[in-house]
Amino acid sequence: MGKPRINTMEELSAAIGVSRPTLSRFFQDPSLVKPNTVARIEAGLATVEYIPNFFATRLNRKSTGMIGVIIPYLNDLFFTKLLESVEIAAMEAGLTVITQCSHSDPAIEARAAETFISMNVDGALVAPLGDHSDQAVYRRLQSRLPFVMMDSRPNTMQGVDFVGTNHTQSTGLIVEYLCRIGDPPVFLAMPRVNFNALEREAAYIAKMEELGFKPQVLGTELVNEDWHFEKHGEAVLNAELSAGRLAERSILCANDRLAIGAIRAATRHGLFPGRSKEGGFRIAGHDDYPLCPNINPSLTTVAQDTDAIGKKAVSRLLQKISGDLSDDTPEISLFDGSLMLRESA
Amino acid sequence: MGKPRINTMEELSAAIGVSRPTLSRFFQDPSLVKPNTVARIEAGLATVEYIPNFFATRLNRKSTGMIGVIIPYLNDLFFTKLLESVEIAAMEAGLTVITQCSHSDPAIEARAAETFISMNVDGALVAPLGDHSDQAVYRRLQSRLPFVMMDSRPNTMQGVDFVGTNHTQSTGLIVEYLCRIGDPPVFLAMPRVNFNALEREAAYIAKMEELGFKPQVLGTELVNEDWHFEKHGEAVLNAELSAGRLAERSILCANDRLAIGAIRAATRHGLFPGRSKEGGFRIAGHDDYPLCPNINPSLTTVAQDTDAIGKKAVSRLLQKISGDLSDDTPEISLFDGSLMLRESA
DNA sequence: CTCCCTTTTTTACGTATGTAAATATTGGCG
DNA sequence: CGCCAATATTTACATACGTAAAAAAGGGAG
């Protein structure tokens, strides 16, 4: 529209006849200004086009009202769900979220951290890359601002606030289910690049032994260089089936994307995993990837509570930002997984 | 590490004995400073921990070196791929990317636009929401800064720079393929909330008529309120198959996620779409969603060149930012789709 | 009408850096 | 040794707003 554009608060002050400090207080919190004056300001604002400068606003405030969020990958609906949950929670708390993606590159992750520090964000939330990460980056953030890790945690980062899934519980749950209904599962793992995958593998082994079964882990060797989860799952199971193995077994995949690939391998061998057939060939996953209900067969899995994780991460960060912590012991919040029974197991 | 922390350039100047303006020039571009001095500064920087303040840096520059990017959804790997391409291209151009997601909410989209203006970003790239968007938001951005739309474009926004797919070509390509190899396809559409879907529908109809076939469009009525693409595709095809229709037809879905749902519906009716069976039941999609190769059967589709779209959007935006345009006619860049022949059709 | 309290305005300074102009320094060369 | 050019430093001001203190204005109660 043709509203006159006003660039600074000074000009605005002149235009609507209210002093600049009063305007400043109005933009921070209208309740600090007398209702009568508020009305005058709002009437004036309706007349012009003015947006306070973001940088000038933050330059001399004690709090920027921003938090930084780093996720490792964009092309994974799990992180995307987590990010959505975080962004909504932060928005409800009135925070501006600056999201950065590492794109699988530790150097980019490090740069994102620098940016956050440089922006004086009130706090940072990071879902780390796998092994590759330079953990000095996390320690740096940890030492400079309120900091919470999400999803997975390097085993060398024990003194940090963390929010994630209890993989011992979640993996135990599905191992127990698979053992209860049919054959004890083998575990389709992946190359050791992901902390969570390792935790799940360990949880699988522990639960199997607890139940008196012999654990069996597959797929820890790299299949091809720039592998994707689905391709890896498909390749590993395909090799097994081609060798005449596993056709009557249950297969627990370290995550759903591996399972999607495994299902494809099975289908190409004429096998249709399913729980209908007692004791027969079954495939299960972990995470409850959004597409699980929509594939053939739909994938039995154990859901991570991404929504709870995102909300908790934000609320914990806010708590650390506000500074009213009874003690400064790092808080580890682990949410239980829940069984999603579908067709595949 | 125990490096002393230095907060301002003034302190840094005192600490390493180089004047502040020189430091300022050094941080903007070391080549503006004599190599000898550069060495001295770098030696000093290695001794301390200093990061220039992001806000102060941008406050008084003519260019902030930032661009804003808005995408409508996070939980869709198509947008995620596009965003990745954009972020990488921008990074290579030395730009800081501020990403905001609309989360299907026009109010959030509008707020994101305000944030960009308030941040003095050098330019904005937006993939709009569907119908719901308040188009005043786009016009506002368009009038205030270099602005390029991506992916889809409201038909009322004709005077804007746009980068996307040539849906007439891409849809025509797969319609032609389907007609050539077997039965002319019916079109599985979706409720009219998405501009691209409409373009594809129109392209389908045009190509069918060109080839002398009668177009048939399904699924334009809303199935349930908070529908997802997969569920919609599944529900629509399920209804048809249950009514004894379409079992021998070819089905072209407006996008791959609909197709994934359609395949599931087919499977549950004992139908396995495939191109092996000449003239038989087939399902095809549009987009080349990353999971297409991994489902059962793998999905034949037409790929959007998200990488080219992202790169072009960034380069066009840079061109507008630099301001050296021979004329100011909006540029419309449409990339062709390419056929991805897989198992389903 | 005056006093007192609340709110606003005025004034002034702070935030961390960019930027331009004037001045000083340095190095190379004749 | 001295001059010129390149570079660095000094000085000063600019960016747009936050914030605090002092002064002024406004409004209600007595």
Side-chain angles (χ1 to χ4, degrees):
Chain A
M1 335 13 171
K3 290 182 187 173
R5 191 172 300 167
I6 285 197
N7 292 312
T8 76
M9 214 178 259
E10 202 88 44
E11 286 174 37
L12 184 66
S13 166
I16 67 182
V18 173
S19 77
R20 191 177 66 73
T22 305
L23 289 175
S24 174
R25 276 158 50 217
F26 167 82
F27 281 111
Q28 286 175 64
D29 183 357
S31 77
L32 298 174
V33 171
K34 194 163 59 163
N36 189 349
T37 314
V38 169
R40 250 171 63 217
I41 296 176
E42 281 171 347
L45 281 176
T47 313
V48 299
E49 181 174 333
Y50 168 72
I51 302 178
N53 181 295
F54 194 87
F55 302 129
T57 306
R58 264 77 180 174
L59 190 54
N60 191 24
R61 260 190 203 147
K62 65 255 55 210
S63 158
T64 55
M66 302 164 56
I67 64 171
V69 180
I70 299 180
I71 60 168
Y73 316 102
L74 274 172
N75 289 321
D76 189 313
L77 294 175
F78 173 79
F79 288 111
T80 264
K81 268 172 72 181
L82 179 59
L83 179 57
E84 184 169 53
S85 164
V86 165
E87 287 199 349
I88 304 237
M91 198 178 304
E92 282 168 359
L95 297 168
T96 300
V97 179
I98 303 295
T99 306
Q100 303 274 83
C101 173
S102 319
H103 298 293
S104 333
D105 183 344
I108 299 181
E109 192 184 43
R111 198 186 321 162
E114 293 264 300
T115 303
F116 290 164
I117 293 175
S118 153
M119 282 182 171
N120 274 319
V121 296
D122 292 343
L125 233 41
V126 3
L129 284 168
D131 252 359
H132 303 302
S133 273
D134 180 2
Q135 296 178 14
V137 172
Y138 309 139
R139 299 194 186 289
R140 179 94 171 285
L141 285 172
Q142 163 87 342
S143 77
R144 296 207 64 158
L145 36 89
F147 177 67
V148 175
M149 292 192 98
M150 303 184 292
D151 175 54
S152 86
R153 180 178 44 151
N155 35 24
T156 54
M157 297 286 302
Q158 294 297 338
V160 176
D161 282 76
F162 178 73
V163 186
T165 290
N166 180 347
H167 289 108
T168 306
Q169 181 273 341
S170 66
T171 306
L173 197 61
I174 193 149
V175 170
E176 194 164 49
Y177 163 75
L178 290 171
C179 291
R180 178 155 38 89
I181 302 302
D183 214 39
V186 304
F187 190 78
L188 201 164
M190 49 182 154
R192 308 290 168 75
V193 296
N194 181 297
F195 305 113
N196 282 339
L198 284 180
E199 279 193 35
R200 287 174 204 165
E201 188 178 321
Y204 158 78
I205 292 172
K207 176 58 84 175
M208 287 289 278
E209 287 174 345
E210 176 193 327
L211 296 175
F213 298 117
K214 187 158 177 296
Q216 185 184 349
V217 175
L218 293 176
T220 53
E221 57 306 317
L222 193 63
V223 175
N224 52 358
E225 261 316 313
D226 67 339
W227 54 288
H228 295 86
F229 290 136
E230 293 87 358
K231 290 296 170 212
H232 181 74
E234 181 173 351
V236 171
L237 187 57
N238 185 53
E240 293 294 318
L241 293 173
S242 296
R245 291 188 293 267
L246 294 189
E248 288 299 311
R249 299 295 302 274
S250 303
I251 297 160
L252 173 59
C253 302
N255 68 44
D256 291 337
R257 292 179 58 188
L258 290 171
I260 288 173
I263 285 180
R264 180 158 166 81
T267 308
R268 305 192 66 171
H269 281 264
L271 291 167
F272 297 94
R275 61 170 156 148
S276 46
K277 315 186 295 285
E278 286 274 326
F281 182 66
R282 299 177 299 167
I283 294 180
H286 192 293
D287 287 354
D288 200 30
Y289 205 68
L291 277 161
C292 287
N294 302 307
I295 61 170
N296 283 309
S298 62
L299 186 65
T300 288
T301 189
V302 41
Q304 289 200 60
D305 194 346
T306 48
D307 200 50
I309 294 174
K311 279 183 181 150
K312 176 66 186 180
V314 170
S315 71
R316 174 63 181 170
L317 191 64
L318 282 170
Q319 204 176 48
K320 294 188 79 173
I321 290 171
S322 73
D324 50 37
L325 298 176
S326 36
D327 63 329
D328 56 352
T329 320
E331 183 181 86
I332 312 293
S333 301
L334 301 181
F335 290 91
D336 280 357
S338 51
L339 215 48
M340 308 297 285
L341 292 187
R342 299 204 179 91
E343 296 161 351
S344 73
Chain B
M1 333 23 166
K3 291 182 187 174
R5 192 172 299 168
I6 285 198
N7 293 312
T8 76
M9 214 178 260
E10 202 88 46
E11 286 173 38
L12 184 66
S13 166
I16 68 182
V18 173
S19 77
R20 192 177 67 69
T22 305
L23 288 175
S24 174
R25 276 160 49 219
F26 168 82
F27 281 110
Q28 286 173 63
D29 183 358
S31 77
L32 299 175
V33 171
K34 195 164 56 166
N36 189 348
T37 315
V38 168
R40 251 171 62 217
I41 296 176
E42 280 170 348
L45 281 177
T47 313
V48 300
E49 180 174 335
Y50 168 72
I51 302 179
N53 181 295
F54 193 88
F55 301 130
T57 306
R58 265 78 181 172
L59 189 54
N60 192 24
R61 258 190 205 151
K62 68 254 56 209
S63 158
T64 54
M66 303 165 54
I67 65 171
V69 179
I70 300 181
I71 60 168
Y73 316 102
L74 275 172
N75 289 320
D76 188 312
L77 294 176
F78 173 80
F79 289 110
T80 264
K81 266 172 72 183
L82 179 58
L83 179 57
E84 185 170 51
S85 163
V86 165
E87 288 198 347
I88 305 244
M91 198 177 305
E92 281 167 359
L95 297 169
T96 300
V97 178
I98 303 295
T99 305
Q100 302 275 81
C101 174
S102 318
H103 298 292
S104 334
D105 182 344
I108 299 180
E109 192 184 41
R111 199 186 318 160
E114 294 264 300
T115 303
F116 290 165
I117 293 175
S118 151
M119 283 181 170
N120 274 319
V121 295
D122 292 342
L125 233 41
V126 3
L129 283 167
D131 252 359
H132 303 303
S133 273
D134 180 3
Q135 296 178 13
V137 173
Y138 309 139
R139 300 193 184 290
R140 181 93 170 284
L141 285 172
Q142 162 87 343
S143 76
R144 296 208 63 158
L145 36 89
F147 176 66
V148 175
M149 291 193 97
M150 303 183 294
D151 174 56
S152 87
R153 179 178 46 152
N155 34 23
T156 54
M157 297 286 302
Q158 293 298 338
V160 177
D161 281 76
F162 177 73
V163 185
T165 290
N166 180 346
H167 289 108
T168 307
Q169 180 272 342
S170 66
T171 306
L173 197 61
I174 193 151
V175 169
E176 196 164 46
Y177 163 74
L178 291 171
C179 290
R180 177 155 39 89
I181 302 301
D183 215 38
V186 303
F187 189 79
L188 202 164
M190 51 181 154
R192 307 292 168 74
V193 295
N194 182 296
F195 306 112
N196 282 339
L198 283 179
E199 278 193 36
R200 288 173 202 165
E201 189 178 321
Y204 158 78
I205 292 172
K207 177 57 85 177
M208 286 289 278
E209 288 174 345
E210 176 193 327
L211 296 176
F213 298 117
K214 186 159 177 296
Q216 184 185 349
V217 175
L218 294 176
T220 55
E221 60 304 319
L222 195 64
V223 175
N224 52 358
E225 261 316 313
D226 68 338
W227 54 288
H228 296 86
F229 291 135
E230 292 87 358
K231 289 295 171 212
H232 181 74
E234 181 173 352
V236 171
L237 187 57
N238 186 54
E240 294 295 316
L241 293 173
S242 297
R245 291 189 294 267
L246 295 190
E248 288 300 311
R249 298 296 302 274
S250 302
I251 297 159
L252 173 58
C253 301
N255 68 43
D256 291 337
R257 292 180 56 189
L258 291 171
I260 288 172
I263 285 180
R264 181 159 165 81
T267 308
R268 305 192 66 172
H269 281 265
L271 292 167
F272 297 95
R275 60 170 157 148
S276 47
K277 314 186 296 286
E278 287 273 329
F281 182 67
R282 298 178 298 168
I283 293 179
H286 191 293
D287 289 354
D288 199 29
Y289 204 69
L291 277 160
C292 287
N294 302 306
I295 61 170
N296 282 309
S298 61
L299 186 65
T300 289
T301 188
V302 41
Q304 290 200 60
D305 194 347
T306 48
D307 201 49
I309 294 174
K311 277 182 182 152
K312 176 66 186 178
V314 170
S315 70
R316 174 63 181 169
L317 190 64
L318 283 170
Q319 204 176 47
K320 296 188 77 174
I321 289 171
S322 72
D324 49 36
L325 297 175
S326 37
D327 63 331
D328 56 352
T329 320
E331 181 181 87
I332 313 293
S333 302
L334 300 182
F335 289 91
D336 280 357
S338 51
L339 215 47
M340 307 299 285
L341 293 187
R342 299 203 180 91
E343 295 161 351
S344 73

